Amino acid sequence: MALILPDPAGRIALLPASEVTASRASDLDEVVRFRLRKSLPFDVREARVAHVRSPRAEDALVVVAALDSVVEAYEEVCRSVGLEVGLVELSALALCRSVFRPDSTGDRLLVNWDEGYATLILVRQGWPVLARTLTGPIVTSPAEVGREAAQTLLYARERLGSAGLDQVLLRSAAIDLAEAAAVLEGPLGIAPEAVDPWPGLGADPGPAAQPLAGAAACLVAPA
């Protein structure tokens, strides 16, 4: 089975590809861990680390690190009911794979808003260039999430040369989808569109559509 975890279960990092090179895959893993060692709130030696490189040499390496004990706890629940875990992925990245294509143009933003966290991933030509996961008291206030979204867009303009957003895609399992879209439209200057992977599965889960969208996205996303 595939295991789709809430975003705070791991850390998403974007490492410049030019600074992460190695002749062998095993060496690359060590280089990535070395680069992460000071930026993680836990010991990188106790972490599971995965990374993927874009076909384009100029794109950053997308890295996810999670404490082995955290992932193991989720996997043990699956094993207890007779399920063996294969793919393990964070919700926001599963959503990105399902909704953004390599041939997409302009800058596009995914907002993955769930109970206790909100992740913002800015994608350029189908590849992440900025990733933030907000946690703690700040995400209990929709207005604060809106302000953080505006700050993310400002950073993208000033530091990443963004000309603005061509699209905002939103998953909200924290508050009503329409309310979340209204909160974000002003700060971002564009109306968010709902992430809805269910038509690709021929299913209508009703009220569970947004809470389970990350899992559904994993099923429709290209490998």
Side-chain angles (χ1 to χ4, degrees), residues 94-124:
L95 290 165
C96 275
R97 286 197 302 115
S98 74
V99 298
F100 297 126
R101 297 290 182 265
D103 58 355
S104 62
T105 58
D107 285 359
R108 301 169 190 270
L109 182 70
L110 171 75
V111 181
N112 186 33
W113 194 348
D114 210 325
E115 294 290 343
Y117 72 89
T119 296
L120 301 100
I121 299 184
L122 182 70
V123 170
R124 184 172 292 168

Side-chain angles (χ1 to χ4, degrees), residues 27-93:
D27 294 336
L28 180 59
D29 185 70
E30 289 303 313
V31 171
V32 169
R33 286 176 178 272
F34 180 78
R35 290 293 309 275
L36 291 177
R37 73 194 192 287
K38 293 183 178 179
S39 61
L40 297 177
F42 46 81
D43 191 333
V44 71
R45 293 171 296 184
E46 299 176 359
R48 294 195 198 182
V49 177
H51 44 81
V52 61
R53 192 185 292 275
S54 168
R56 298 187 297 265
E58 67 273 17
D59 289 335
L61 197 73
V62 177
V63 182
V64 177
L67 267 175
D68 182 69
S69 58
V70 171
V71 180
E72 175 64 26
Y74 283 99
E75 290 179 335
E76 180 56 36
V77 173
C78 298
R79 286 193 292 267
S80 70
V81 293
L83 299 173
E84 191 62 33
V85 174
L87 174 70
V88 179
E89 190 168 19
L90 297 183
S91 174
L93 293 179

Side-chain angles (χ1 to χ4, degrees), residues 4-5 25 102 204:
I4 306 302
L5 299 179
D204 179 8

